[in-house]
Amino acid sequence: TGTFIIEAVGAVSMMPVFCKNFGAKGIWMSVFHSVSAFCNAGFDILGTEGNQFCSLTPYTSNPVINITVMLLIVIGGIGFLTWDDICNNKFKIKKYSMQSKIILVTSLILILLPAIYFFIFDYSDYSIGNRLLASLFQSITTRTAGFNTIDLSNLSDSGTLLSLILMLIGGCPGSTAGGLKTTTIAVVVIAVFSMAKGGDDINTFKRRIVSDVVKQSAV
């Protein structure tokens, strides 16, 4: 039920834009892209004979399409167990499970830091507003979603490398996204910092991570 409601809201949000461009066909376009974004699938049906792989590039400066698709990707990519934790505990973050805390913090870092990088070093030809949208979208979509609002061939070499790293990392456990899981990356990073400090125990959020979990993450 929750999935249906989220996808329906996403479709309705995009309908004014797609219906303006495609008429009645825009209803189907909205539903298709809403489901595709929530499932982190990246499928789109916007290609033409002249540009078969345009994805969402015609909507680079459209905040409705950008924000809706980004939210759907993030909501689907965080994972159902995390959303269950959020729904049950609301804003009582201390009651969240350690996995939910790691997922939320790691996801936030993986969205904001790459977005800042893209904003500073790429898209300099865009206005501030479009540059912000493009940076956030590229940061979010690369982790298995597959959409793009800019011509990827215009990315700098470092921006391309960062995108490849984000693609490798992927989404969260129990989510619609693929790739390596954010919790796996987080545990490995935490373990590296802990070892660098000379500590024997690996702790996060006042909880100890057993060595077997670390070994499984590193393999």
Side-chain angles (χ1 to χ4, degrees):
T1 302
T3 298
F4 176 79
I5 292 173
I6 292 167
E7 291 176 346
V9 171
V12 170
S13 300
M14 291 187 283
M15 276 182 194
V17 178
F18 282 129
C19 287
K20 180 180 179 181
N21 294 336
F22 300 98
K25 186 182 177 182
I27 297 174
W28 162 243
M29 304 285 265
S30 302
V31 173
F32 185 94
H33 284 87
S34 180
V35 174
S36 181
F38 179 80
C39 293
N40 279 237
F43 297 124
D44 72 81
I45 47 178
L46 293 170
T48 62
E49 288 187 12
N51 189 359
Q52 296 182 358
F53 309 105
C54 64
S55 191
L56 297 173
T57 52
Y59 301 96
T60 303
S61 60
N62 189 296
V64 173
I65 298 298
N66 275 263
I67 293 172
T68 302
V69 172
M70 283 191 287
L71 286 175
L72 287 168
I73 292 170
V74 171
I75 292 170
I78 283 179
F80 297 104
L81 293 176
T82 304
W83 280 113
D84 184 62
D85 210 351
I86 293 171
C87 290
N88 289 333
N89 296 303
K90 304 298 188 294
F91 296 105
K92 299 175 182 177
I93 299 176
K94 289 184 178 180
K95 291 187 177 181
Y96 288 7
S97 67
M98 183 173 69
Q99 174 174 291
S100 294
K101 291 176 181 177
I102 290 176
I103 284 173
L104 292 173
V105 171
T106 305
S107 296
L108 187 63
I109 292 172
L110 289 173
I111 290 171
L112 292 181
L113 292 186
I116 292 171
Y117 181 90
F118 288 127
F119 185 86
I120 295 173
F121 296 104
D122 287 283
Y123 318 136
S124 58
D125 294 334
Y126 293 87
S127 65
I128 294 297
N130 291 346
R131 196 174 178 182
L132 180 60
L133 283 177
S135 299
L136 281 170
F137 197 95
Q138 182 67 11
S139 177
I140 290 172
T141 191
T142 44
R143 290 193 298 116
T144 79
F147 292 108
N148 61 284
T149 58
I150 54 95
D151 186 348
L152 297 179
S153 64
N154 292 332
L155 279 175
S156 63
D157 291 341
S158 55
T160 301
L161 177 60
L162 177 57
S163 296
L164 291 173
I165 293 171
L166 291 173
M167 290 177 190
L168 176 66
I169 294 174
C172 304
S175 73
T176 59
L180 292 174
K181 299 309 178 187
T182 52
T183 47
T184 300
I185 300 299
V187 168
V188 171
V189 171
I190 292 169
V192 169
F193 276 99
S194 179
M195 292 176 186
K197 292 179 180 178
D200 295 326
D201 293 329
I202 300 170
N203 301 289
T204 182
F205 297 110
K206 299 180 179 180
R207 298 283 298 276
R208 186 171 69 87
I209 301 175
V210 298
S211 57
D212 287 345
V213 172
V214 178
K215 290 177 183 177
Q216 290 174 3
S217 299
V219 173

